[in-house]
């Protein structure tokens, strides 16, 4: 009987490891998609942007795999306490990572249009925003793999840096459009791109909060970190 119980526990641990591996794969793809989308803007490479758009389905497939596998684990294993938090964490993370992939795809679509327009000066800020968001994604994935609540909390706090960069660019683009109406088209696309990066940062903080709860069994300590008017400005992508 003891051997049977040991086998069941070992089998469940293996299933959790598989679930974690799928999440890690999703995270790696999401990070790579963002890097390529930003590079397609910097290099004005519309072919690279198209590759990002076409590759998005790989993240969608992995998300569905996580959903199916997690539901199966919940139904068959009926995990409790920490084991249950691990499965629920994977479900939540898969959703945020899928959204990060969608936002990277949106950036790539904007890049294709932007690459057909003469470049404008504020475009130089986008690579810096993108690099910061990519670093945050990498760090939050490391926190997940390492089970490091403190690192997750540090990642959560860094989202303010992304917001600050977005707010600065937002004001610069408004000024740029008012100075010369010919800049409106390019600046509008830039605003969409910057907002998508800012939203990627938001999803990374969601992941950080989920990881912290998974490890500590409690929410992150409440810290009032309000976004200012620019960060709250709604930039909505048209329906596909």
């Amino acid at each position: 009987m003891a051997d049977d119980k040991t086998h069941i526990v070992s089998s469940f641990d293996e299933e959790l490891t598989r679930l974690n591996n799928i999440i890690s794969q999703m995270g790696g793809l999401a990070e790579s998609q963002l890097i390529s989308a930003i590079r397609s803007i910097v290099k004005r490479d519309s072919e690279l942007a198209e590759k990002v758009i076409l590759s998005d389905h790989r993240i969608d497939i992995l998300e569905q795999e996580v959903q199916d596998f997690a539901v199966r684990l919940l139904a068959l294993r009926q995990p409790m306490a920490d084991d249950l938090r691990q499965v629920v964490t994977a479900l939540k993370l898969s959703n945020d990572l899928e959204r990060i992939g969608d936002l990277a795809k949106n950036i790539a679509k904007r890049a294709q249009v932007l690459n057909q327009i003469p470049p404008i000066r504020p475009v130089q800020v986008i690579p810096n925003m993108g690099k910061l968001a990519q670093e945050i994604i990498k760090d939050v994935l490391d926190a997940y793999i390492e089970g490091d609540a403190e690192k997750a909390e540090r990642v959560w706090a860094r989202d303010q840096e992304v917001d600050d960069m977005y707010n600065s660019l937002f004001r610069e683009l408004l000024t740029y459009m008012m100075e010369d109406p010919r800049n409106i088209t390019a600046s509008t696309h830039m605003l969409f791109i910057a907002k998508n990066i800012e939203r990627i940062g938001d999803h990374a903080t969601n992941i950080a909060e989920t990881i912290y709860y998974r490890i500590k069994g409690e929410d992150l300590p409440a810290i009032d970190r309000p976004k200012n008017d620019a960060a709250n400005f709604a930039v909505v992508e048209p329906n596909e």
Side-chain angles (χ1 to χ4, degrees), residues 53-192:
I53 295 167
L54 295 176
S55 296
D56 179 62
H57 76 284
R58 296 163 61 197
I59 298 178
D60 296 338
I61 291 171
L62 287 174
E63 184 200 20
Q64 189 60 54
E65 186 175 346
V66 169
Q67 302 285 328
D68 293 345
F69 194 55
V71 168
R72 176 178 170 275
L73 282 180
L74 291 172
L76 298 181
R77 300 293 189 179
Q78 298 182 351
M80 303 290 288
D82 184 65
D83 290 338
L84 178 60
R85 287 204 300 272
Q86 287 195 58
V87 177
V88 173
T89 292
L91 282 168
K92 289 185 175 181
L93 264 61
S94 69
N95 180 260
D96 279 305
L97 290 170
E98 189 274 335
R99 288 298 302 134
I100 289 174
D102 284 346
L103 291 165
K105 179 177 70 173
N106 288 344
I107 292 170
K109 288 180 177 180
R110 294 285 170 179
Q112 288 183 319
V113 178
L114 198 60
N115 292 344
Q116 309 305 314
I117 304 171
I120 60 175
R121 187 176 63 251
V123 77
Q124 300 303 319
V125 180
I126 292 297
N128 296 331
M129 275 192 76
K131 185 174 186 297
L132 178 57
Q134 180 263 321
E135 289 174 355
I136 289 175
I137 293 172
K138 179 182 182 302
D139 287 346
V140 82
L141 291 172
D142 287 345
Y144 174 69
I145 294 168
E146 298 164 10
D148 190 333
E150 286 69 31
K151 180 177 285 188
E153 188 171 3
R154 290 195 297 272
V155 170
W156 182 86
R158 289 196 71 191
D159 180 54
Q160 185 63 52
E161 298 176 43
V162 180
D163 293 342
D164 290 343
M165 293 183 76
Y166 172 75
N167 296 332
S168 176
L169 180 61
F170 179 89
R171 290 189 291 269
E172 185 177 1
L173 286 171
L174 286 183
T175 300
Y176 211 62
M177 287 187 280
M178 288 186 291
E179 287 177 350
D180 188 342
R182 290 173 298 182
N183 294 324
I184 290 176
T185 299
S187 295
T188 301
H189 288 296
M190 287 282 294
L191 185 58
F192 274 105

Side-chain angles (χ1 to χ4, degrees), residues 188-208:
T188 301
H189 288 296
M190 287 282 294
L191 185 58
F192 274 105
I193 289 170
K195 186 60 180 178
N196 281 322
I197 297 173
E198 190 264 340
R199 288 170 65 194
I200 285 173
D202 289 342
H203 283 286
T205 61
N206 289 346
I207 292 173

